[in-house]
Amino acid sequence: MTYHPDAFPTHWDLNPYRGCSIGCKYCFAQYSHKYLGLDDFFKDILIKTNVSESLGKKLGKKNWNNEQIKIGGITDLYQHLEKRYKLMPKVYEIIKKHKTPVFIQTKSTLILRDFEIIQELSKITSVDIATSITTFDESIRKVIEPGASTTLERIEMLAKFKGISRSTTLGFMPIIPLLSDTDENLETTFSLAKEYGIDNVVTSFLFLRGDVKSKFMALIEQHFPEIYTGFSKLYATSTVDPNYKQNINLKIKKLRDKYQLFSVYKAVETIAHSDQLSLF
Ligand code: SF4
């Protein structure tokens, strides 16, 4: 488990896998593989088969203050290998034992395999569920997020946790200029989130960090050549052109007002073990 002092909503990150077969072409975690001396973030996957044991040791320490843990913040916990390795049910057992609040984030409906375990967990601690989407155009989605569940499946999956989790959050992220920013795509995101009763909608723009930029530009050139020139102009740096960003943010604001859908996520208050014990 790693600690990120400036992260929101939680500082603790648990990732049972290093590398991710979901294969999102915009994934900014790709850089992290270099530190491991590995090349292909999408194919060279490290499996932390002892993740539940080491988590148990950490949560069993006297100085652990029972902060919320984010699972799947760097790599997807329900990527394809989880079908075979089944690391998550054991992780949930440890979390249940220590009554630790969790924020679970995935782009895979494989999470539904563990629905009942998560439901049990949510009866004794705080459980937040999140997913993110980029486009309802499946022909585009298959190119940029080849290993993810379909966009609609992800929203339907998230909605199933409504009522059993503390909150459900839909990320419309990253917004990919000229590809996923159509008025129709924006409107459908908000209208479906409303229809399915999702609590929060958060948005963010494509960030092209390090060599992800050259890889992503090559993908645009190969699969979407008609937007290549315009896209290049918007990404003179690693972040999108500020005027473009302002324009899209205005559209998003109108949709938030229309559907009354905001990001109202509240961080979980930390209740230390010693405080919990004093209740009994
Ligand atoms: S699911 Fe997340 S970690 Fe996996 S490739 Fe996509 S963006 Fe990267």
Side-chain angles (χ1 to χ4, degrees):
M1 199 156 63
T2 44
Y3 185 76
H4 303 283
D6 301 323
F8 180 84
T10 170
H11 304 301
W12 290 100
D13 234 326
L14 181 72
N15 294 283
Y17 301 92
R18 293 290 295 264
C20 184
S21 61
I22 302 279
C24 309
K25 304 303 183 205
Y26 50 76
C27 178
F28 58 74
Q30 291 179 67
Y31 77 94
S32 62
H33 246 37
K34 281 198 181 139
Y35 303 121
L36 300 173
L38 297 170
D39 283 336
D40 196 331
F41 181 82
F42 302 137
K43 288 190 179 141
D44 301 330
I45 316 280
L46 298 186
I47 306 150
K48 298 180 190 170
T49 50
N50 66 340
V51 64
S52 50
E53 286 81 3
S54 55
L55 180 67
K57 279 184 197 157
K58 176 76 185 170
L59 302 192
K61 284 189 177 164
K62 281 193 178 145
N63 64 353
W64 171 248
N65 67 358
N66 221 23
E67 276 186 64
Q68 186 190 40
I69 298 173
K70 187 177 199 181
I71 314 177
I74 308 288
T75 60
D76 204 299
L77 64 164
Y78 285 106
Q79 57 179 284
H80 304 89
L81 284 170
E82 174 60 17
K83 230 182 232 177
R84 193 183 340 150
Y85 284 89
K86 299 186 175 73
L87 301 182
M88 286 312 300
K90 290 183 201 143
V91 165
Y92 292 136
E93 282 309 314
I94 301 294
I95 286 168
K96 195 171 160 188
K97 181 176 166 195
H98 294 279
K99 299 182 181 171
T100 303
V102 283
F103 184 105
I104 303 166
Q105 179 177 316
T106 181
K107 287 179 187 161
S108 169
T109 55
L110 181 58
I111 189 176
L112 295 174
R113 178 198 67 188
D114 296 338
F115 184 84
E116 285 172 16
I117 307 173
I118 296 170
Q119 190 172 27
E120 283 304 305
L121 191 61
S122 69
K123 288 177 188 163
I124 59 158
T125 188
S126 158
V127 177
D128 296 312
I129 309 281
T131 190
S132 62
I133 59 165
T134 54
T135 176
F136 289 91
D137 183 330
E138 277 298 298
S139 63
I140 298 176
R141 199 278 305 159
K142 282 179 186 163
V143 174
I144 57 174
E145 299 167 334
S149 299
T150 71
T151 300
L152 197 54
E153 282 171 345
R154 278 178 252 173
I155 295 179
E156 286 171 347
M157 170 273 285
L158 187 61
K160 287 198 169 85
F161 288 96
K162 177 88 190 147
I164 74 148
S165 59
R166 188 184 74 118
S167 75
T168 48
T169 299
L170 178 66
F172 179 43
M173 54 173 64
I175 299 167
I176 305 173
L178 313 181
L179 208 59
S180 74
D181 61 352
T182 61
D183 290 351
E184 188 188 1
N185 207 41
L186 287 163
E187 180 89 32
T188 309
T189 299
F190 277 86
S191 67
L192 281 183
K194 189 72 183 176
E195 187 182 326
Y196 281 93
I198 306 304
D199 297 312
N200 301 296
V201 174
V202 294
T203 63
S204 77
F205 291 87
L206 178 68
F207 175 51
L208 292 174
R209 173 183 185 151
D211 62 359
V212 175
K213 183 169 180 178
S214 56
K215 289 181 189 168
F216 200 80
M217 296 302 291
L219 174 122
I220 293 284
E221 193 170 20
Q222 185 188 348
H223 293 275
F224 312 103
E226 65 285 1
I227 67 163
Y228 182 77
T229 305
F231 188 89
S232 307
K233 282 183 190 152
L234 291 174
Y235 275 93
T237 65
S238 57
T239 55
V240 75
D241 174 79
N243 292 327
Y244 165 87
K245 188 173 174 179
Q246 194 179 19
N247 181 34
I248 297 292
N249 275 338
L250 277 176
K251 291 184 183 182
I252 290 172
K253 187 183 177 312
K254 281 185 189 157
L255 288 165
R256 288 193 182 287
D257 290 343
K258 178 176 173 182
Y259 290 101
Q260 288 297 291
L261 260 175
F262 307 95
S263 177
V264 290
Y265 184 86
K266 284 196 179 69
V268 174
E269 233 172 85
T270 301
I271 304 172
H273 278 312
S274 53
D275 294 340
Q276 287 188 330
L277 290 171
S278 68
L279 294 172
F280 300 99

